[in-house]
Each structure stands twice: as structure tokens, then as C-alpha cells.
Amino acid sequence: MKPSSSTAPAPPAPPEATAGALSARAGLFNGAAAYSMWGLVPLFWPLLKPAGAGEILAHRMVWSLAVVGIVLVVLRRWSWAGELVRQPRRLGLVTVAAAVITVNWGLYIWSVNNNHVVEASLGYFINPLVTIAMGVLLLKERLRPVQWAAVGTGLAAVLVLAFGYGQPPWISLVLAFSFATYGLVKKKVNLGGVESLAAETAIQFLPALGFVLWLGARGESTFGTAGGGHAVLLALTGVVTAVPLVCFGAAAIRVPLSTLGLLQYLAPVFQFVLGVLYFKEEMPPERWAGFGLVWLALTLLTWDAFRTAHRNRARAAELADRLPQAGAPAAEQPAASGSVEAAPGPETVAAAEDPAPRL
């Protein structure tokens, strides 16, 4: 009998593999959606004029708590609140986080509505570099040579931009340092994205509501006096804050942290493009030079992260292959010296900060 030359059909993929692929695809979609929305949010804040940055910020805090409260009711996730109240140290850290993100939010809204979109985008471009610097200065972390080169390149970019502006790029620096500090504090609090936003806006709520009522008593509030459409837009600040965060949360549990680390650059890229092409902000040669240096620094960090991750996987696989041959259980084998490189990098940066830029 002549053997058949046809190839047998491949067995169907197991349901677990198909479900995993669909989950990863959904996570990638949600991550891209979250960072795209954060990148396009500069289009929203100017719609809220004639409200000033302070009034917009206060409404954002008030309505964000309302929206995230509805989300928590739907998800039935309240147990964390009682635990947080019984832990004064964590509650204090949440208060610090709320104060820092208030500065970040307020400055970002003011920057967009006062034609500083490009400079604001720079703040989120340099945020990973600032986080690395804080890790070295505050946490005594050690950097690899490529990371030192990236930090040095970022410092050179700031100097070039300072020369071009005639002063340091304060908006960019305050946004970067405030968000890096916020991420560091949030890492210590260890709350989920939705829960963290709920706790922070709960702390912000009373001062924000008091400011809104104070503006109304002085006749300076635009809520209800600039038309129904304007009032609806102010209320939508809560949706604009919460929806990207929900998408981010859906992505964070489905895709690797390294993927989220790359996706986070979508937000400042979109902001930069909007600043140049839509808001028509000036880009003199020294500003292009400064941004070019920042992008070079980020390229170095990304390349170093991939190289280190690949090296660590290879060493871990080699160690796993070697252990069974030693004739003893893996748990009894001594760790190979230098088998896994444990140096800080973008992986540490991502772990030290919440990669969700609450713009």
C-alpha cells in the first residue's frame, strides 16, 4: 500500500490556548484604548472654558468620585475600604498621593488651556527618566551602564531645552516629578487602580466641593451659569477620568508589564502631535533638539529592557535545564551566582510607578 503523501491536519488548539489568545488581544486593545484616551484628552479641557483650571480641577475631583463610586457598586468591591481606614499609615500615604496628583492634574489642565501642550507632553516623556533618578537617589538602586547613559542623555535634553526656553522647562519638570512621586507612593499603598482613585478622590472630595460652592457664592462659578451643555461637560470630567482607568485595569491583568511600558508612550506621543499640528505650538530648533535627546534616552531604556529581559529568560531556562541533572530537587539546589541579573531598569521603573498617567 502506497503511503499517503498528504500531511495530516493539525490538531485544533486547546480551548485554554484560544481563550488565552483572546484575553491577550482584549488586553492589548484595552491598553491601547486607555493610553490613546489619555493622549487625546488635551482636546477635552479647552471645551470647558470659560471655566478656569481651578474650577475644572475641582469638578473633576467631585465627579470622579461619583463615577468611580458607581463602578465600585457594580463590581461590589468595598472590602478594601474598611481595611484602609483601619491602617493609618496606608491612609496617610493615600493622602499624600491625593495631594501630589492634585498638583499634577491642576498643572496639566492649566498647561493645556494655556497653550503649553508640547511642554506638558515632555513631562510624560521624561517621567521614566525621573523615576529612575529617584530610584537611585531615594532607594539606592544601581543602574546598568546603558541606563546611566539614558539618564545622562535626559539631563542633557533638559539643559538644551532650558537654553531654548531661557529658563528650565518647569511645567515638564513639575509634571514629571509629581507623577513619579505619585507612582512611588502608590506602589507602597498597593491598591488597585479603581480602588486607588476612589480613595484619593474621597480625600479630595470635600475640599473640591467646598471650592465649587465658594465659587458659586462669589458668583464666579460657570456651572449652571454658562448653559446646560457646559454643566454637562463639567460633569463628564468624572467619566473622562474613570473610563481610561477602567480600560487600563482590564489591560493590566491581561498583558505583560513590558507591553504596558511600551504602550504608555502613546499618551505623550499623541499629546506632542496635537500640540504641534492641532494647537500650532512653536517648535524652534532647540526644542526639536531637546525632544530628540529625550527620545534617544527612551530608545536606550527600551533597548536595554528588552536585552535584559531576553538575557534573564535565557539564564533562567539554562538553570532550569541544569537542575534536574544534578539529581536533587530544585528547591535543594543552590542558586547559581549571577544566574539572574537583578539590576534596576525600566522593569523596576514600571514597578515603582503606576503606569497610568492620570492626565
Side-chain angles (χ1 to χ4, degrees), residues 1 4 6 10 18 62 72 85 161 213 216 222-223 240 252-253 300 313 319 322 335 346:
M1 187 173 182
S4 173
S6 61
T18 303
V62 170
L72 289 174
V85 171
L161 290 166
L213 295 176
T222 63
F223 186 77
V240 168
I253 61 175
L300 290 173
R313 283 195 297 268
L319 182 61
R322 193 186 311 143

Side-chain angles (χ1 to χ4, degrees), residues 33-203:
Y35 285 108
S36 297
M37 283 186 277
W38 279 317
L40 296 174
V41 77
L43 296 174
F44 178 71
W45 303 126
L47 300 178
L48 302 180
K49 294 179 178 179
E55 183 178 5
I56 295 172
L57 174 63
H59 277 280
R60 183 180 190 180
M61 295 171 178
V62 170
W63 295 108
S64 291
L65 180 61
V67 172
V68 80
I70 294 172
V71 172
L72 289 174
V73 168
V74 172
L75 298 178
R76 297 181 179 180
R77 282 160 43 182
W78 291 106
S79 59
W80 59 271
E83 296 175 4
L84 180 62
V85 171
R86 291 190 294 270
Q87 298 176 334
R89 183 178 178 276
R90 289 183 76 199
L91 191 58
L93 288 173
V94 170
T95 303
V96 172
V100 174
I101 202 62
T102 296
V103 173
N104 187 276
W105 280 359
L107 180 58
Y108 184 77
I109 294 169
W110 180 89
S111 301
V112 171
N113 285 358
N114 285 274
N115 304 314
H116 293 286
V117 177
V118 169
E119 194 173 349
S121 74
L122 176 64
Y124 293 100
F125 274 126
I126 67 175
N127 178 68
L129 301 171
V130 171
T131 305
I132 287 179
M134 291 178 66
V136 172
L137 297 175
L138 301 179
L139 306 179
K140 308 302 181 184
E141 294 180 347
R142 292 177 300 151
L143 300 185
R144 294 183 290 271
V146 175
Q147 293 172 310
W148 276 116
V151 172
T153 303
L155 178 59
V158 172
L159 294 176
V160 169
L161 290 166
F163 175 79
Y165 283 113
Q167 61 180 4
W170 293 116
I171 292 175
S172 306
L173 292 174
V174 172
L175 287 175
F177 275 92
S178 61
F179 189 69
T181 303
Y182 174 73
L184 184 63
V185 174
K186 274 177 59 64
K187 184 65 179 176
K188 295 182 180 297
V189 174
N190 193 26
L191 274 179
V194 176
E195 292 87 348
S196 178
L197 180 62
E200 292 155 18
T201 50
I203 291 171

Side-chain angles (χ1 to χ4, degrees), residues 246-268:
V246 171
C247 291
F248 172 79
I253 61 175
R254 291 178 173 87
V255 299
L257 191 60
S258 58
T259 303
L260 284 179
L262 291 177
L263 287 175
Q264 73 174 325
Y265 293 125
L266 283 176

